[in-house]
Amino acid sequence: MSIATHHGTAVSAPIPVGQLVPWALFVGLLALIAIYFVGTEQGATSVISGSYVHEFTHDGRHLLGFPCH
């Protein structure tokens, strides 16, 4: 039985920060919108009338620890 070994070195390419910034901002904006709808979209600060958003995010609201009753 022979043992095969590889002694090469792997060099990773650097990630350019300029290409990462727009994606980080986009993901951050989506996260803030999601937190708003799950956490505060009800009552006096409601942007959308009715209780559709509240009912849609109800279980996620409790899972994340936001009170809603």
Side-chain angles (χ1 to χ4, degrees):
M1 185 183 272
S2 65
I3 298 174
T5 59
H6 180 67
H7 294 288
T9 58
V11 177
S12 61
I15 299 173
V17 176
Q19 291 179 359
L20 230 107
V21 170
W23 287 105
L25 290 174
F26 178 67
V27 169
L29 180 65
L30 286 179
L32 286 175
I33 290 171
I35 288 172
Y36 170 76
F37 277 110
V38 170
T40 61
E41 176 60 34
Q42 68 179 24
T45 62
S46 181
V47 173
I48 299 171
S49 64
S51 62
Y52 297 111
V53 174
H54 174 81
E55 294 301 326
F56 183 72
T57 60
H58 187 87
D59 292 337
R61 188 178 306 249
H62 288 297
L63 180 68
L64 294 173
F66 288 102
C68 68
H69 297 286

